[in-house]
Amino acid sequence: MEFLLTGSADIPQLVELRLVYLEEDRGPLDLSQRSVFSERLITYFQEHLNKSLFAYSVKEPTLGQIVSIVLLQVVERPPNFSFPTGRTGTLLNVYTRPEFRRKGFASALIRQVIADAPTYFLSFLELSATPAGLSLYEKLGFLKKSSHYTEMKLPLLIEDRREPDLGKGGKCL
């Protein structure tokens, strides 16, 4: 097996693995959803791969197929006491094809991301654990978040592809 940082030639496989991951986690996508997600994922990977998103993978050499993947998204924000470097890493899409599970691939990839974290100047790594992955992440040293802040979000749904109207001068106030 080959462990590598994935490049732009593997974008079609990255898209397919992301879709398979989403379906395994959330349920089947219909053809329209699959098409929209595929298009958006291609664009996203083209714009961010090996800039702010790094794809660590295991490739089966005889098939030329990626069998396990971990995505690292690097985000830069103004530094504070929680992230003094201003840079944090989020692990996404930790996924291994079913026939290659329980061979230590995901664990090895995450260990590599942890080892590489200083080269990205990250203050910490974070992730959202599925029930299936929780014990793996705990074994690797990830801790459940605790904070005196309350996690919140405001869902924003863009139902079509029109750019938002930001008013005069195109600025958001």
Side-chain angles (χ1 to χ4, degrees):
M1 293 294 171
E2 212 180 342
F3 290 77
L4 51 95
L5 199 54
T6 304
S8 59
D10 290 312
I11 288 176
Q13 285 190 71
L14 296 177
V15 169
E16 182 57 30
L17 284 168
R18 179 69 176 160
L19 293 172
V20 170
Y21 169 84
L22 291 172
E23 288 184 318
E24 193 169 303
D25 187 46
R26 298 294 180 115
L29 298 169
D30 64 34
L31 289 176
S32 174
Q33 291 170 318
R34 186 170 260 278
S35 175
V36 168
F37 277 124
S38 291
E39 181 182 314
R40 289 178 181 169
L41 285 166
I42 290 167
T43 300
Y44 182 83
F45 287 131
Q46 288 171 339
E47 292 176 2
H48 296 278
L49 191 61
N50 295 324
K51 295 174 189 156
S52 60
L53 182 80
F54 302 88
Y56 288 74
S57 64
V58 175
K59 191 177 270 192
E60 203 289 322
T62 58
L63 299 173
Q65 179 184 48
I66 296 173
V67 299
S68 187
I69 189 164
V70 173
L71 300 180
L72 168 64
Q73 181 180 29
V74 175
V75 175
E76 189 164 9
R77 300 177 268 199
N80 71 23
F81 294 109
S82 295
F83 38 91
T85 66
R87 294 172 62 91
T88 62
T90 303
L91 299 185
L92 305 164
N93 211 118
V94 177
Y95 183 77
T96 302
R97 293 183 186 275
E99 62 273 25
F100 293 93
R101 292 182 182 163
R102 305 276 182 235
K103 296 179 187 292
F105 295 142
S107 177
L109 291 173
I110 294 169
R111 281 188 169 91
Q112 187 61 56
V113 172
I114 292 168
D116 289 353
T119 65
Y120 299 112
F121 205 51
L122 302 179
S123 294
F124 61 79
L125 291 170
E126 64 184 349
L127 55 80
S128 295
T130 62
L134 184 60
S135 67
L136 168 64
Y137 306 133
E138 289 175 334
K139 287 177 190 171
L140 292 171
F142 284 84
L143 307 170
K144 291 180 183 173
K145 285 184 185 180
S146 66
S147 174
H148 65 276
Y149 297 106
T150 301
E151 296 283 330
M152 300 178 75
K153 71 178 179 180
L154 175 64
L156 301 172
L157 179 62
I158 299 173
E159 293 183 2
D160 60 25
R161 295 175 189 215
R162 290 178 294 160
E163 293 295 318
D165 181 7
L166 300 176
K168 291 185 179 183
K171 294 181 181 177
C172 186
L173 303 176

